[in-house]
mmCIF file of all heavy atoms in Angstrom:
data_model
loop_
_atom_site.group_PDB
_atom_site.id
_atom_site.type_symbol
_atom_site.label_atom_id
_atom_site.label_comp_id
_atom_site.label_asym_id
_atom_site.label_seq_id
_atom_site.Cartn_x
_atom_site.Cartn_y
_atom_site.Cartn_z
ATOM 1 N N GLU A 1 88.852 84.582 82.614
ATOM 2 C CA GLU A 1 88.495 84.079 81.294
ATOM 3 C C GLU A 1 89.690 83.432 80.587
ATOM 4 O O GLU A 1 89.513 82.736 79.585
ATOM 5 C CB GLU A 1 87.945 85.229 80.436
ATOM 6 C CG GLU A 1 86.675 85.865 81.011
ATOM 7 C CD GLU A 1 86.220 87.062 80.205
ATOM 8 O OE1 GLU A 1 86.706 87.230 79.051
ATOM 9 O OE2 GLU A 1 85.380 87.836 80.715
ATOM 10 N N MET A 2 90.889 83.652 81.112
ATOM 11 C CA MET A 2 92.108 83.106 80.499
ATOM 12 C C MET A 2 92.676 81.941 81.299
ATOM 13 O O MET A 2 93.824 81.549 81.107
ATOM 14 C CB MET A 2 93.158 84.218 80.389
ATOM 15 C CG MET A 2 92.779 85.353 79.464
ATOM 16 S SD MET A 2 92.920 84.887 77.721
ATOM 17 C CE MET A 2 94.709 84.924 77.531
ATOM 18 N N GLN A 3 91.870 81.366 82.171
ATOM 19 C CA GLN A 3 92.365 80.347 83.087
ATOM 20 C C GLN A 3 92.997 79.157 82.371
ATOM 21 O O GLN A 3 93.987 78.601 82.829
ATOM 22 C CB GLN A 3 91.220 79.871 83.987
ATOM 23 C CG GLN A 3 91.649 79.069 85.195
ATOM 24 C CD GLN A 3 90.495 78.788 86.133
ATOM 25 O OE1 GLN A 3 89.352 79.156 85.871
ATOM 26 N NE2 GLN A 3 90.782 78.108 87.233
ATOM 27 N N ASP A 4 92.439 78.773 81.233
ATOM 28 C CA ASP A 4 92.955 77.605 80.523
ATOM 29 C C ASP A 4 94.081 77.944 79.553
ATOM 30 O O ASP A 4 94.600 77.068 78.861
ATOM 31 C CB ASP A 4 91.819 76.912 79.763
ATOM 32 C CG ASP A 4 91.186 77.806 78.701
ATOM 33 O OD1 ASP A 4 91.379 79.039 78.758
ATOM 34 O OD2 ASP A 4 90.496 77.265 77.810
ATOM 35 N N LYS A 5 94.499 79.209 79.516
ATOM 36 C CA LYS A 5 95.547 79.633 78.580
ATOM 37 C C LYS A 5 96.829 80.070 79.294
ATOM 38 O O LYS A 5 97.787 80.498 78.638
ATOM 39 C CB LYS A 5 95.035 80.775 77.702
ATOM 40 C CG LYS A 5 93.884 80.364 76.785
ATOM 41 C CD LYS A 5 93.409 81.529 75.941
ATOM 42 C CE LYS A 5 92.362 81.095 74.912
ATOM 43 N NZ LYS A 5 91.152 80.538 75.533
ATOM 44 N N ILE A 6 96.827 79.994 80.620
ATOM 45 C CA ILE A 6 97.983 80.458 81.399
ATOM 46 C C ILE A 6 98.407 79.367 82.374
ATOM 47 O O ILE A 6 97.585 78.835 83.125
ATOM 48 C CB ILE A 6 97.642 81.761 82.156
ATOM 49 C CG1 ILE A 6 97.458 82.909 81.151
ATOM 50 C CG2 ILE A 6 98.719 82.106 83.181
ATOM 51 C CD1 ILE A 6 96.925 84.183 81.756
ATOM 52 N N ASP A 7 99.691 79.036 82.356
ATOM 53 C CA ASP A 7 100.216 78.021 83.273
ATOM 54 C C ASP A 7 100.633 78.626 84.612
ATOM 55 O O ASP A 7 100.433 78.017 85.660
ATOM 56 C CB ASP A 7 101.420 77.315 82.638
ATOM 57 C CG ASP A 7 101.040 76.558 81.379
ATOM 58 O OD1 ASP A 7 99.984 75.906 81.389
ATOM 59 O OD2 ASP A 7 101.791 76.641 80.384
ATOM 60 N N VAL A 8 101.243 79.803 84.569
ATOM 61 C CA VAL A 8 101.650 80.492 85.791
ATOM 62 C C VAL A 8 101.380 81.985 85.616
ATOM 63 O O VAL A 8 101.804 82.583 84.620
ATOM 64 C CB VAL A 8 103.145 80.285 86.121
ATOM 65 C CG1 VAL A 8 103.499 80.953 87.460
ATOM 66 C CG2 VAL A 8 103.512 78.808 86.163
ATOM 67 N N MET A 9 100.706 82.577 86.608
ATOM 68 C CA MET A 9 100.466 84.015 86.613
ATOM 69 C C MET A 9 101.480 84.660 87.552
ATOM 70 O O MET A 9 101.577 84.285 88.726
ATOM 71 C CB MET A 9 99.051 84.326 87.098
ATOM 72 C CG MET A 9 98.703 85.814 87.076
ATOM 73 S SD MET A 9 98.340 86.437 85.413
ATOM 74 C CE MET A 9 96.617 85.894 85.264
ATOM 75 N N ILE A 10 102.235 85.620 87.032
ATOM 76 C CA ILE A 10 103.211 86.348 87.842
ATOM 77 C C ILE A 10 102.584 87.671 88.256
ATOM 78 O O ILE A 10 102.180 88.473 87.413
ATOM 79 C CB ILE A 10 104.519 86.557 87.071
ATOM 80 C CG1 ILE A 10 105.137 85.194 86.714
ATOM 81 C CG2 ILE A 10 105.498 87.388 87.891
ATOM 82 C CD1 ILE A 10 106.429 85.284 85.928
ATOM 83 N N LEU A 11 102.523 87.901 89.565
ATOM 84 C CA LEU A 11 101.833 89.065 90.114
ATOM 85 C C LEU A 11 102.831 90.180 90.385
ATOM 86 O O LEU A 11 103.807 89.989 91.110
ATOM 87 C CB LEU A 11 101.111 88.686 91.401
ATOM 88 C CG LEU A 11 100.232 87.421 91.326
ATOM 89 C CD1 LEU A 11 99.455 87.234 92.604
ATOM 90 C CD2 LEU A 11 99.296 87.489 90.126
ATOM 91 N N CYS A 12 102.577 91.345 89.826
ATOM 92 C CA CYS A 12 103.551 92.431 89.845
ATOM 93 C C CYS A 12 103.045 93.668 90.564
ATOM 94 O O CYS A 12 103.493 94.783 90.297
ATOM 95 C CB CYS A 12 103.955 92.777 88.414
ATOM 96 S SG CYS A 12 104.703 91.383 87.535
ATOM 97 N N GLY A 13 102.111 93.475 91.496
ATOM 98 C CA GLY A 13 101.615 94.588 92.293
ATOM 99 C C GLY A 13 102.490 94.847 93.499
ATOM 100 O O GLY A 13 103.483 94.158 93.743
ATOM 101 N N GLY A 14 102.103 95.849 94.280
ATOM 102 C CA GLY A 14 102.859 96.219 95.468
ATOM 103 C C GLY A 14 102.451 95.414 96.681
ATOM 104 O O GLY A 14 101.318 94.920 96.778
ATOM 105 N N SER A 15 103.375 95.318 97.625
ATOM 106 C CA SER A 15 103.131 94.520 98.824
ATOM 107 C C SER A 15 102.235 95.232 99.830
ATOM 108 O O SER A 15 101.627 94.589 100.684
ATOM 109 C CB SER A 15 104.454 94.166 99.503
ATOM 110 O OG SER A 15 105.241 93.371 98.655
ATOM 111 N N ALA A 16 102.182 96.554 99.772
ATOM 112 C CA ALA A 16 101.441 97.295 100.788
ATOM 113 C C ALA A 16 99.950 96.999 100.743
ATOM 114 O O ALA A 16 99.331 96.674 101.768
ATOM 115 C CB ALA A 16 101.694 98.793 100.630
ATOM 116 N N THR A 17 99.349 97.079 99.548
ATOM 117 C CA THR A 17 97.898 96.898 99.456
ATOM 118 C C THR A 17 97.462 95.940 98.352
ATOM 119 O O THR A 17 96.381 95.367 98.433
ATOM 120 C CB THR A 17 97.204 98.262 99.217
ATOM 121 O OG1 THR A 17 97.736 98.863 98.031
ATOM 122 C CG2 THR A 17 97.431 99.198 100.399
ATOM 123 N N ASP A 18 98.288 95.737 97.314
ATOM 124 C CA ASP A 18 97.869 94.909 96.174
ATOM 125 C C ASP A 18 97.936 93.412 96.478
ATOM 126 O O ASP A 18 96.935 92.694 96.400
ATOM 127 C CB ASP A 18 98.735 95.205 94.940
ATOM 128 C CG ASP A 18 98.543 96.603 94.405
ATOM 129 O OD1 ASP A 18 97.448 97.156 94.591
ATOM 130 O OD2 ASP A 18 99.490 97.140 93.809
ATOM 131 N N LEU A 19 99.127 92.930 96.788
ATOM 132 C CA LEU A 19 99.349 91.487 96.895
ATOM 133 C C LEU A 19 98.568 90.805 98.019
ATOM 134 O O LEU A 19 98.144 89.653 97.841
ATOM 135 C CB LEU A 19 100.844 91.186 97.009
ATOM 136 C CG LEU A 19 101.685 91.617 95.798
ATOM 137 C CD1 LEU A 19 103.160 91.326 96.037
ATOM 138 C CD2 LEU A 19 101.207 90.932 94.516
ATOM 139 N N PRO A 20 98.351 91.442 99.173
ATOM 140 C CA PRO A 20 97.552 90.759 100.199
ATOM 141 C C PRO A 20 96.167 90.365 99.719
ATOM 142 O O PRO A 20 95.591 89.389 100.213
ATOM 143 C CB PRO A 20 97.483 91.793 101.328
ATOM 144 C CG PRO A 20 98.731 92.591 101.179
ATOM 145 C CD PRO A 20 98.933 92.700 99.683
ATOM 146 N N LYS A 21 95.634 91.090 98.743
ATOM 147 C CA LYS A 21 94.315 90.753 98.181
ATOM 148 C C LYS A 21 94.452 89.943 96.890
ATOM 149 O O LYS A 21 93.746 88.956 96.684
ATOM 150 C CB LYS A 21 93.524 92.037 97.913
ATOM 151 C CG LYS A 21 93.181 92.821 99.166
ATOM 152 C CD LYS A 21 92.406 94.088 98.820
ATOM 153 C CE LYS A 21 92.055 94.887 100.076
ATOM 154 N NZ LYS A 21 91.343 96.141 99.758
ATOM 155 N N GLN A 22 95.358 90.380 96.012
ATOM 156 C CA GLN A 22 95.455 89.767 94.686
ATOM 157 C C GLN A 22 95.946 88.324 94.737
ATOM 158 O O GLN A 22 95.421 87.459 94.026
ATOM 159 C CB GLN A 22 96.395 90.581 93.798
ATOM 160 C CG GLN A 22 95.830 91.882 93.294
ATOM 161 C CD GLN A 22 96.813 92.601 92.382
ATOM 162 O OE1 GLN A 22 97.974 92.220 92.260
ATOM 163 N NE2 GLN A 22 96.339 93.654 91.732
ATOM 164 N N THR A 23 96.977 88.073 95.540
ATOM 165 C CA THR A 23 97.573 86.737 95.505
ATOM 166 C C THR A 23 96.591 85.659 95.947
ATOM 167 O O THR A 23 96.418 84.659 95.237
ATOM 168 C CB THR A 23 98.869 86.682 96.329
ATOM 169 O OG1 THR A 23 99.737 87.743 95.915
ATOM 170 C CG2 THR A 23 99.581 85.355 96.127
ATOM 171 N N PRO A 24 95.893 85.803 97.094
ATOM 172 C CA PRO A 24 94.902 84.767 97.434
ATOM 173 C C PRO A 24 93.782 84.648 96.400
ATOM 174 O O PRO A 24 93.363 83.532 96.059
ATOM 175 C CB PRO A 24 94.352 85.236 98.786
ATOM 176 C CG PRO A 24 95.392 86.132 99.345
ATOM 177 C CD PRO A 24 96.027 86.802 98.164
ATOM 178 N N ALA A 25 93.320 85.785 95.873
ATOM 179 C CA ALA A 25 92.226 85.741 94.902
ATOM 180 C C ALA A 25 92.634 85.006 93.631
ATOM 181 O O ALA A 25 91.893 84.150 93.120
ATOM 182 C CB ALA A 25 91.776 87.171 94.569
ATOM 183 N N LEU A 26 93.820 85.300 93.117
ATOM 184 C CA LEU A 26 94.253 84.674 91.871
ATOM 185 C C LEU A 26 94.770 83.261 92.073
ATOM 186 O O LEU A 26 94.748 82.448 91.152
ATOM 187 C CB LEU A 26 95.315 85.544 91.196
ATOM 188 C CG LEU A 26 94.759 86.856 90.617
ATOM 189 C CD1 LEU A 26 95.866 87.807 90.235
ATOM 190 C CD2 LEU A 26 93.857 86.586 89.415
ATOM 191 N N ALA A 27 95.236 82.944 93.292
ATOM 192 C CA ALA A 27 95.703 81.578 93.571
ATOM 193 C C ALA A 27 94.555 80.574 93.539
ATOM 194 O O ALA A 27 94.797 79.371 93.420
ATOM 195 C CB ALA A 27 96.402 81.528 94.924
ATOM 196 N N ARG A 28 93.328 81.024 93.628
ATOM 197 C CA ARG A 28 92.177 80.114 93.482
ATOM 198 C C ARG A 28 91.973 79.713 92.025
ATOM 199 O O ARG A 28 91.277 78.736 91.738
ATOM 200 C CB ARG A 28 90.908 80.779 94.018
ATOM 201 C CG ARG A 28 90.923 80.986 95.524
ATOM 202 C CD ARG A 28 89.606 81.564 96.032
ATOM 203 N NE ARG A 28 89.606 81.668 97.482
ATOM 204 C CZ ARG A 28 90.028 82.741 98.150
ATOM 205 N NH1 ARG A 28 90.445 83.809 97.467
ATOM 206 N NH2 ARG A 28 90.019 82.758 99.475
ATOM 207 N N LEU A 29 92.599 80.486 91.102
ATOM 208 C CA LEU A 29 92.391 80.266 89.666
ATOM 209 C C LEU A 29 93.647 79.783 88.942
ATOM 210 O O LEU A 29 93.549 79.033 87.965
ATOM 211 C CB LEU A 29 91.921 81.571 89.010
ATOM 212 C CG LEU A 29 90.655 82.215 89.562
ATOM 213 C CD1 LEU A 29 90.444 83.587 88.939
ATOM 214 C CD2 LEU A 29 89.445 81.324 89.299
ATOM 215 N N PHE A 30 94.811 80.246 89.391
ATOM 216 C CA PHE A 30 96.059 80.007 88.653
ATOM 217 C C PHE A 30 97.157 79.542 89.609
ATOM 218 O O PHE A 30 97.126 79.833 90.807
ATOM 219 C CB PHE A 30 96.564 81.307 88.004
ATOM 220 C CG PHE A 30 95.629 81.963 87.046
ATOM 221 C CD1 PHE A 30 94.786 82.981 87.462
ATOM 222 C CD2 PHE A 30 95.602 81.581 85.708
ATOM 223 C CE1 PHE A 30 93.928 83.615 86.573
ATOM 224 C CE2 PHE A 30 94.747 82.200 84.809
ATOM 225 C CZ PHE A 30 93.904 83.219 85.237
ATOM 226 N N ASN A 31 98.165 78.890 89.062
ATOM 227 C CA ASN A 31 99.453 78.826 89.735
ATOM 228 C C ASN A 31 100.023 80.247 89.713
ATOM 229 O O ASN A 31 99.984 80.914 88.668
ATOM 230 C CB ASN A 31 100.405 77.884 89.006
ATOM 231 C CG ASN A 31 99.881 76.465 88.941
ATOM 232 O OD1 ASN A 31 99.445 75.905 89.943
ATOM 233 N ND2 ASN A 31 99.911 75.887 87.749
ATOM 234 N N VAL A 32 100.541 80.714 90.843
ATOM 235 C CA VAL A 32 100.978 82.103 90.902
ATOM 236 C C VAL A 32 102.353 82.218 91.559
ATOM 237 O O VAL A 32 102.776 81.354 92.328
ATOM 238 C CB VAL A 32 99.985 83.000 91.671
ATOM 239 C CG1 VAL A 32 98.615 82.998 91.005
ATOM 240 C CG2 VAL A 32 99.869 82.577 93.131
ATOM 241 N N VAL A 33 103.027 83.334 91.243
ATOM 242 C CA VAL A 33 104.274 83.722 91.901
ATOM 243 C C VAL A 33 104.151 85.203 92.231
ATOM 244 O O VAL A 33 103.734 86.000 91.374
ATOM 245 C CB VAL A 33 105.503 83.500 91.000
ATOM 246 C CG1 VAL A 33 106.778 83.928 91.718
ATOM 247 C CG2 VAL A 33 105.610 82.047 90.566
ATOM 248 N N ASP A 34 104.507 85.569 93.480
ATOM 249 C CA ASP A 34 104.542 86.994 93.807
ATOM 250 C C ASP A 34 105.860 87.343 94.479
ATOM 251 O O ASP A 34 106.685 86.471 94.784
ATOM 252 C CB ASP A 34 103.319 87.439 94.621
ATOM 253 C CG ASP A 34 103.399 87.136 96.125
ATOM 254 O OD1 ASP A 34 104.476 86.799 96.639
ATOM 255 O OD2 ASP A 34 102.347 87.249 96.791
ATOM 256 N N SER A 35 106.068 88.658 94.695
ATOM 257 C CA SER A 35 107.300 89.136 95.330
ATOM 258 C C SER A 35 106.973 89.883 96.623
ATOM 259 O O SER A 35 107.607 90.889 96.941
ATOM 260 C CB SER A 35 108.083 90.043 94.372
ATOM 261 O OG SER A 35 107.296 91.156 93.979
ATOM 262 N N PHE A 36 105.986 89.397 97.360
ATOM 263 C CA PHE A 36 105.577 90.035 98.615
ATOM 264 C C PHE A 36 106.799 90.224 99.514
ATOM 265 O O PHE A 36 107.499 89.267 99.839
ATOM 266 C CB PHE A 36 104.532 89.164 99.317
ATOM 267 C CG PHE A 36 103.966 89.776 100.569
ATOM 268 C CD1 PHE A 36 102.965 90.733 100.494
ATOM 269 C CD2 PHE A 36 104.436 89.409 101.821
ATOM 270 C CE1 PHE A 36 102.444 91.307 101.642
ATOM 271 C CE2 PHE A 36 103.921 89.979 102.969
ATOM 272 C CZ PHE A 36 102.920 90.930 102.886
ATOM 273 N N ASP A 37 107.060 91.462 99.929
ATOM 274 C CA ASP A 37 108.332 91.721 100.615
ATOM 275 C C ASP A 37 108.195 92.411 101.970
ATOM 276 O O ASP A 37 109.182 92.935 102.493
ATOM 277 C CB ASP A 37 109.267 92.524 99.709
ATOM 278 C CG ASP A 37 108.763 93.935 99.413
ATOM 279 O OD1 ASP A 37 107.651 94.299 99.867
ATOM 280 O OD2 ASP A 37 109.476 94.693 98.718
ATOM 281 N N THR A 38 107.004 92.405 102.548
ATOM 282 C CA THR A 38 106.859 92.923 103.907
ATOM 283 C C THR A 38 107.193 91.784 104.871
ATOM 284 O O THR A 38 106.343 90.955 105.202
ATOM 285 C CB THR A 38 105.434 93.456 104.155
ATOM 286 O OG1 THR A 38 105.087 94.384 103.126
ATOM 287 C CG2 THR A 38 105.351 94.149 105.507
ATOM 288 N N HIS A 39 108.439 91.724 105.310
ATOM 289 C CA HIS A 39 108.940 90.572 106.069
ATOM 290 C C HIS A 39 108.054 90.227 107.264
ATOM 291 O O HIS A 39 107.776 89.052 107.510
ATOM 292 C CB HIS A 39 110.372 90.844 106.543
ATOM 293 C CG HIS A 39 111.380 90.898 105.447
ATOM 294 N ND1 HIS A 39 112.199 89.830 105.130
ATOM 295 C CD2 HIS A 39 111.701 91.889 104.577
ATOM 296 C CE1 HIS A 39 112.993 90.170 104.121
ATOM 297 N NE2 HIS A 39 112.708 91.409 103.771
ATOM 298 N N ALA A 40 107.613 91.231 107.995
ATOM 299 C CA ALA A 40 106.856 90.980 109.226
ATOM 300 C C ALA A 40 105.505 90.331 108.958
ATOM 301 O O ALA A 40 104.929 89.693 109.849
ATOM 302 C CB ALA A 40 106.659 92.288 109.995
ATOM 303 N N ARG A 41 105.002 90.457 107.743
ATOM 304 C CA ARG A 41 103.667 89.938 107.432
ATOM 305 C C ARG A 41 103.692 88.681 106.565
ATOM 306 O O ARG A 41 102.645 88.207 106.134
ATOM 307 C CB ARG A 41 102.832 91.037 106.746
ATOM 308 C CG ARG A 41 102.573 92.254 107.639
ATOM 309 C CD ARG A 41 101.647 93.242 106.966
ATOM 310 N NE ARG A 41 100.355 92.636 106.688
ATOM 311 C CZ ARG A 41 99.444 93.190 105.873
ATOM 312 N NH1 ARG A 41 99.703 94.323 105.263
ATOM 313 N NH2 ARG A 41 98.293 92.581 105.662
ATOM 314 N N ILE A 42 104.879 88.137 106.317
ATOM 315 C CA ILE A 42 104.967 86.935 105.487
ATOM 316 C C ILE A 42 104.169 85.764 106.072
ATOM 317 O O ILE A 42 103.449 85.081 105.330
ATOM 318 C CB ILE A 42 106.432 86.562 105.217
ATOM 319 C CG1 ILE A 42 107.039 87.534 104.201
ATOM 320 C CG2 ILE A 42 106.558 85.128 104.694
ATOM 321 C CD1 ILE A 42 108.519 87.333 103.946
ATOM 322 N N PRO A 43 104.231 85.488 107.380
ATOM 323 C CA PRO A 43 103.460 84.343 107.898
ATOM 324 C C PRO A 43 101.957 84.444 107.629
ATOM 325 O O PRO A 43 101.326 83.458 107.227
ATOM 326 C CB PRO A 43 103.773 84.363 109.395
ATOM 327 C CG PRO A 43 105.141 84.977 109.473
ATOM 328 C CD PRO A 43 105.128 86.038 108.414
ATOM 329 N N GLU A 44 101.374 85.624 107.817
ATOM 330 C CA GLU A 44 99.933 85.745 107.582
ATOM 331 C C GLU A 44 99.612 85.702 106.090
ATOM 332 O O GLU A 44 98.579 85.144 105.681
ATOM 333 C CB GLU A 44 99.379 87.020 108.211
ATOM 334 C CG GLU A 44 99.894 88.316 107.626
ATOM 335 C CD GLU A 44 99.357 89.544 108.352
ATOM 336 O OE1 GLU A 44 99.986 89.966 109.344
ATOM 337 O OE2 GLU A 44 98.309 90.077 107.928
#
């Protein structure tokens, strides 16, 4: 509901279970930045 009021959404969840779901879902709506830090899973 805030899509037109936010230029960049910064995602502050954890890499284990939050960001693998949140980042793709929110990237369909917003410009996003995350700190995903599971090195072995960065390509996927």
Side-chain angles (χ1 to χ4, degrees):
E1 299 175 15
M2 295 285 285
Q3 194 173 2
D4 62 343
K5 295 180 174 61
I6 292 171
D7 297 318
V8 184
M9 182 77 81
I10 299 179
L11 311 186
C12 300
S15 297
T17 57
D18 294 332
L19 298 178
K21 295 180 180 178
Q22 286 182 350
T23 308
L26 289 168
R28 292 184 176 90
L29 303 172
F30 301 95
N31 299 312
V32 300
V33 179
D34 81 13
S35 59
F36 184 80
D37 66 357
T38 308
H39 292 261
R41 296 185 61 193
I42 286 175
E44 65 183 88

